[in-house]
Amino acid sequence: MEAIKKKFLELLLLMTCISLFILTDSNYCWSNNAIINKNSDRIKVNDNQSYQFEKDIDSIIVIYWNAWGNNYYEYTFSYSLMTGEILVYVDYKESCPKYCIDSSEQIDLFISSINDFYLNKTTPIIEKKKKYDTDEHSEYDIPTFHVECYKKEKLVLSSFTPLENGDYELVFNPKFIKFKNMVLSMVKKYDEYVENYGNTGESNK
C-alpha cells in the first residue's frame, strides 16, 4: 500500500511539473524546426531600440528555411559592407558552391527592406490577419525568414518572421511581399546555378 501511495505521489508531482511547463510556455507553438511566439509576429533579440545601417550594422544574414515531412530546406543570404554583394549558399552542404548577386537593384531592395522592417522599424511587416474559415491549415511546417544583423562580427539583432500561419491568413506589407518574392527568386536562381555547376563546374564569379 505504501509503495502504491508513493508511486501515486511521484506521478502527481510529475503531472504538476508538466502542467507548469505548459502554462509557462503557452504563448509558444512548435514547428519541426523552430519556436514561434503566438503573441508576436517576430521573436526579438535586442529589439528594444532602432538601429542604423553602417553606423550600428555592417553585415546582414537572412536565412530562409522551410520543411515538409522529411525534406528540409535552408538558404543563407549574406551581405556585408566590405564586399557590397549578396552571397547565396546552403550552409549545411559544404559541397554546394556560393552564388554571388551583384545586381544594384536587388541589393538596394535587400538593404532597404532590412532597414525598414528590422532596423529602423518604421514599417510593419504584417498589416493584418484574417482567420481561416476551416482548420485545414493548422498542421504544417512554417516557412520562415531568420534575420541576423552584425557589427564587427558581433550579433546585434536576431529576428524570426514566419511567412505563414496555421490559423490566420497573413496580409503582408506590399514592400515586404516584394522583398519575399525577391528572396524566393534568388532561391530558384541558386538552385539552377547549383544544377549547372554540377554539370560544368563553373562559378558565376
Side-chain angles (χ1 to χ4, degrees):
M1 189 67 181
E2 283 296 320
I4 295 175
K5 184 178 179 182
K6 181 179 180 182
K7 199 69 178 178
F8 174 78
L9 290 174
E10 289 175 350
L11 180 60
L12 182 62
L13 179 61
L14 177 61
M15 291 178 66
T16 303
C17 291
I18 293 173
S19 299
L20 287 172
F21 176 82
I22 292 172
L23 287 172
T24 303
D25 288 273
S26 61
N27 290 331
Y28 292 89
C29 61
W30 290 78
S31 81
N32 285 351
N33 300 289
I35 305 172
I36 298 169
N37 191 328
K38 290 182 178 178
N39 290 334
S40 174
D41 298 321
R42 296 179 290 164
I43 295 176
K44 306 176 181 69
V45 175
N46 297 337
D47 202 35
N48 57 349
Q49 65 181 79
S50 61
Y51 301 93
Q52 295 180 23
F53 189 64
E54 296 189 25
K55 177 185 176 183
D56 303 312
I57 304 295
D58 59 23
S59 60
I60 300 165
I61 290 178
V62 175
I63 301 170
Y64 165 72
W65 57 259
N66 195 6
W68 288 98
N70 295 324
N71 297 317
Y72 176 73
Y73 309 94
E74 180 181 301
Y75 298 83
T76 300
F77 304 82
S78 176
Y79 175 84
S80 73
L81 284 171
M82 184 176 296
T83 64
E85 300 170 334
I86 300 173
L87 286 180
V88 187
Y89 55 93
V90 177
D91 197 38
Y92 58 92
K93 291 185 178 179
E94 295 182 359
S95 60
C96 289
K98 293 184 178 182
Y99 181 78
C100 177
I101 294 174
D102 54 10
S103 163
S104 59
E105 182 179 353
Q106 289 181 313
I107 291 173
D108 288 346
L109 177 58
F110 187 88
I111 294 173
S112 66
S113 297
I114 298 300
N115 256 325
D116 291 347
F117 298 118
Y118 297 96
L119 299 180
N120 297 332
K121 305 174 182 66
T122 55
T123 310
I125 293 175
I126 297 174
E127 295 187 340
K128 62 180 178 179
K129 300 178 182 180
K130 294 192 289 186
K131 181 75 173 178
Y132 285 123
D133 294 332
T134 66
D135 296 329
E136 61 183 274
H137 303 273
S138 59
E139 294 295 334
Y140 58 84
D141 292 288
I142 299 176
T144 301
F145 283 163
H146 178 193
V147 176
E148 294 181 340
C149 298
Y150 294 82
K151 179 68 172 181
K152 296 181 179 179
E153 300 184 355
K154 180 181 179 181
L155 181 64
V156 176
L157 181 143
S158 177
S159 182
F160 290 79
T161 303
L163 302 180
E164 296 178 15
N165 184 294
D167 300 315
Y168 293 87
E169 176 187 355
L170 304 180
V171 180
F172 290 102
N173 178 281
K175 183 176 180 179
F176 187 82
I177 293 175
K178 189 175 180 180
F179 170 67
K180 180 187 75 170
N181 290 340
M182 180 189 71
V183 171
L184 296 182
S185 72
M186 290 179 180
V187 167
K188 183 178 179 181
K189 189 75 174 178
Y190 177 78
D191 285 342
E192 293 172 351
Y193 166 67
V194 169
E195 183 178 356
N196 180 65
Y197 181 88
N199 295 329
T200 65
E202 294 181 359
S203 168
N204 75 318
K205 289 294 287 179

